[in-house]
Amino acid sequence: MNLYQSLPSDLADSVVPASVTPLGAAVLALVRDSAGDRLILAAPNAEALPASFHGEPQAGAGGMAVLVCPRNAANAAALCAALPNLRPEPLGLTASAGCGDRLGLATPGHVRAFHTVAALPGAQPLAAIFAQQSIRENARTGRTPAEVLDDATWGAFEAGWRGAVGADADHLKTTSDIDACVAAGYSFFTFDPGAHVDSAADSDAPAEIERKAAALPWTELESSLADLRARYAGQSVDLGDRRLRLEAESVLRAAAKYGHAIAHVSALYRHLAGLGVPFEVEVSVDETETPTTHAEHIYFASELRRLGVQWVSLAPRYVGRFEKGIDYLGDPSTSSPHGGASQGQALDALRADLAGHAAIARALGPYKLSLHSGSDKFSVYPLIVAATDGCAHLKTAGTSYLEGLRVLARVEPALFRAIAALAGERYPADRATYHVSAELNDWPALAQMDDAELPALLERDMPREILHVTFGSALAQFGGEIKAALVRYRQLYAEVLESHFVRHLAPFARAAP
Ligand SMILES: [Zn+2]
């Protein structure tokens, strides 16, 4: 059926071509004009229109039935019911990538990047997560889990996504976080027990480690100190390409560090599993102070498994610094962004670290290794893909916001200058909850820069960090203007995102960009 011939001409001119989707005898499409976005359905007769959509019937050409529906939550739900690939579902062990989107405008660009990568020579399947937002980001962006999901659904529909989707309820810390995201229809639940990780255990004296281990919540862990020793101390674990011997001392230290976190993850898992919805779980301890050793990873994963927790991916805290929106920085003791040990040495250390974690994930799972703060870590992607043989998950969040700022720097320099000035003011306070190393003296004197020089700020690490971690302040003050500008320049935003994300995704699809 030709949708364009059946529509009233004013609507036909405004159809977003990529969105045109056949559904039985009917056709769906997004219409976009000065009145905003609407969903239209056209069918040979009214009976052939799917019943679940809410809209105004209109007469189409030649007796065709047309329904014009507002872009709202009810019709997003109808869209997911009619096009099941848009309904979030567990994605399993396929390599995957999650794209956070703080503004709700980035999904069409993300979809374009997935399409482009899938068409590259040698590309392997790469599963997509377009809706992904932490409760912390929701608080800062003033959005609900349902709004995040709906924006991703509309974006995927607009851009003609035909693959499956997951939806990542990221960095969940409590059972009420879980409930809110289950109600909204999420499928991928990232448990963050970071607040229960005792990083001081890395350097505590042996007596203190003994005391901490004895004081663990043994009832919740369904175990005892004697059990722990019997189960792990002195064991040699076969990891396929290597063996790792667990010394009694490092077992106790691992328990002191991660024992409370294990109990917390187990409680979150049982709560989620009791809700009777399809789900998959990621466990992340990436936002903790000190790296997860290989022995600690073995203890952590073995204990979770003993308690019946099943997970599809795990994000240890790897060695070195994973700062927001810039490439890998290596070990803070041997390097700094202002100079220091070579990037090559830092990457060698990370390569060895990843190889061990990947061997554990194969031997105790298999499960995917997850790369959090994965935005712009271009030097890390080939390493994690090689170590895991592609059994990996990439998680990016803030880089789509930064790419939005890149668009503004090009086309709305006055707005960009206002955002940048605010970022300079707010950075000292806003950096508190992030791992960043930019200092305000890294911030250039904007007043002395020409407009044409502004986009290049987005090429430099330290300005990127300052702009990245102040996104909450920027949205609080300029959110309306930022979104309106990116809607005006949505085509450019999608193009900028596409080229930026192809560089993120191609390594995980094992394709050459
Ligand atoms: Zn994370």
Side-chain angles (χ1 to χ4, degrees):
M1 189 184 75
N2 189 325
L3 176 79
Y4 297 92
Q5 284 169 7
S6 69
L7 293 177
S9 61
D10 57 322
L11 290 180
D13 293 343
S14 310
V15 167
V16 177
S19 71
V20 176
T21 307
L23 177 67
V27 175
L28 284 65
L30 194 75
V31 162
R32 170 169 293 151
D33 57 23
S34 55
D37 289 3
R38 282 147 295 156
L39 171 68
I40 51 165
L41 294 85
N45 51 60
E47 289 69 48
L49 285 173
S52 46
F53 292 88
H54 308 268
E56 291 291 323
Q58 280 198 17
M64 300 282 286
V66 174
L67 193 67
V68 181
C69 308
R71 177 178 161 151
N72 60 22
N75 284 321
L79 212 44
C80 287
L83 306 173
N85 73 295
L86 296 182
R87 194 185 312 147
E89 62 178 24
L91 301 170
L93 292 176
T94 308
S96 49
C99 314
D101 173 15
R102 290 165 179 169
L103 301 170
L105 297 169
T107 300
H110 296 154
V111 169
R112 285 168 61 142
F114 273 90
H115 283 157
T116 300
V117 166
L120 293 173
Q124 304 290 307
L126 183 64
I129 290 181
F130 300 122
Q132 169 210 293
Q133 201 140 342
S134 67
I135 297 293
R136 176 180 71 189
E137 286 167 13
N138 275 322
R140 286 184 182 163
T141 56
R143 299 162 84 206
T144 65
E147 286 166 346
V148 169
L149 194 49
D150 284 356
D151 285 335
T153 299
W154 286 109
F157 172 68
E158 169 185 337
W161 181 250
R162 299 283 186 262
V165 295
D168 183 355
D170 198 10
H171 282 284
L172 302 178
K173 299 181 185 217
T174 66
T175 54
S176 63
D177 292 349
I178 293 174
D179 293 343
C181 295
V182 164
Y186 283 70
S187 59
F188 184 105
F189 295 80
T190 300
F191 293 161
D192 176 3
H196 306 265
V197 174
D198 183 354
S199 295
D202 280 15
S203 50
D204 282 334
E208 179 65 0
I209 292 295
E210 288 273 356
R211 190 195 64 74
K212 284 183 174 177
L216 287 174
W218 290 110
T219 308
E220 291 159 53
L221 291 169
E222 300 173 13
S223 181
S224 68
L225 195 51
D227 248 16
L228 175 83
R229 285 197 164 102
R231 196 173 292 117
Y232 299 110
Q235 294 293 316
S236 172
V237 183
D238 181 3
L239 299 174
D241 66 350
R242 66 192 73 198
R243 295 190 77 82
L244 203 148
R245 194 179 138 80
L246 300 175
E247 303 301 338
E249 198 264 343
S250 59
V251 169
L252 274 199
R253 208 169 275 281
K257 183 174 178 181
Y258 287 108
H260 289 279
I262 289 163
H264 186 65
V265 169
S266 171
L268 292 177
Y269 184 84
R270 287 172 196 196
H271 179 83
L272 175 59
L275 297 177
V277 295
F279 67 89
E280 59 192 353
V281 162
E282 169 165 307
V283 184
S284 76
V285 289
D286 65 297
E287 293 190 357
T288 53
E289 286 304 315
T290 57
T292 310
T293 67
H294 297 156
E296 288 164 357
H297 183 167
I298 291 172
Y299 159 76
F300 189 71
S302 302
E303 286 293 280
L304 287 177
R305 205 169 56 173
R306 181 179 63 75
L307 289 163
V309 178
Q310 295 184 307
W311 64 98
V312 73
S313 58
L314 188 136
R317 166 73 160 82
Y318 304 112
V319 296
R321 275 185 312 193
F322 289 78
E323 298 192 359
K324 300 290 181 183
I326 63 171
D327 207 340
Y328 180 65
L329 289 175
D331 182 338
S333 66
T334 58
S335 73
S336 91
H338 304 281
S342 78
Q343 182 74 346
Q345 285 171 328
L347 289 174
D348 285 346
L350 179 63
R351 183 182 290 110
D353 189 43
L354 287 168
H357 286 298
I360 297 164
R362 272 191 296 273
L364 300 186
Y367 47 87
K368 292 185 267 195
L369 278 191
S370 185
L371 182 62
H372 281 227
S373 301
S375 295
D376 304 85
K377 301 295 179 296
F378 300 114
S379 59
V380 176
Y381 306 150
L383 305 189
I384 191 167
V385 171
T388 60
D389 203 17
C391 194
H393 179 65
L394 168 68
K395 198 173 297 212
T396 78
T399 203
S400 295
Y401 169 75
L402 285 177
E403 293 309 296
L405 294 188
R406 187 193 299 274
V407 169
L408 299 185
R410 282 199 212 167
V411 297
E412 295 277 353
L415 177 56
F416 179 80
R417 284 179 187 278
I419 295 163
L422 181 71
E425 279 169 35
R426 298 290 170 81
Y427 181 68
D430 288 356
R431 69 181 295 178
T433 53
Y434 291 98
H435 291 117
V436 281
S437 53
E439 299 299 339
L440 271 182
N441 55 20
D442 296 313
W443 194 232
L446 289 169
Q448 284 146 43
M449 293 174 72
D450 290 338
D451 283 356
E453 296 175 277
L454 296 177
L457 274 181
L458 275 306
E459 302 295 331
R460 291 163 50 190
D461 284 355
M462 296 303 114
R464 280 182 77 85
E465 286 197 339
I466 291 169
L467 290 167
H468 184 296
V469 305
T470 52
F471 78 92
S473 296
L475 291 184
Q477 190 149 339
F478 300 113
E481 287 111 305
I482 293 171
K483 285 182 198 171
L486 292 177
V487 164
R488 260 196 317 283
Y489 292 97
R490 63 168 83 233
Q491 186 66 23
L492 176 61
Y493 188 31
E495 286 164 14
V496 166
L497 280 172
E498 178 185 359
S499 65
H500 193 61
F501 268 81
V502 164
R503 295 175 64 205
H504 286 74
L505 303 181
F508 289 83
R510 302 168 181 225

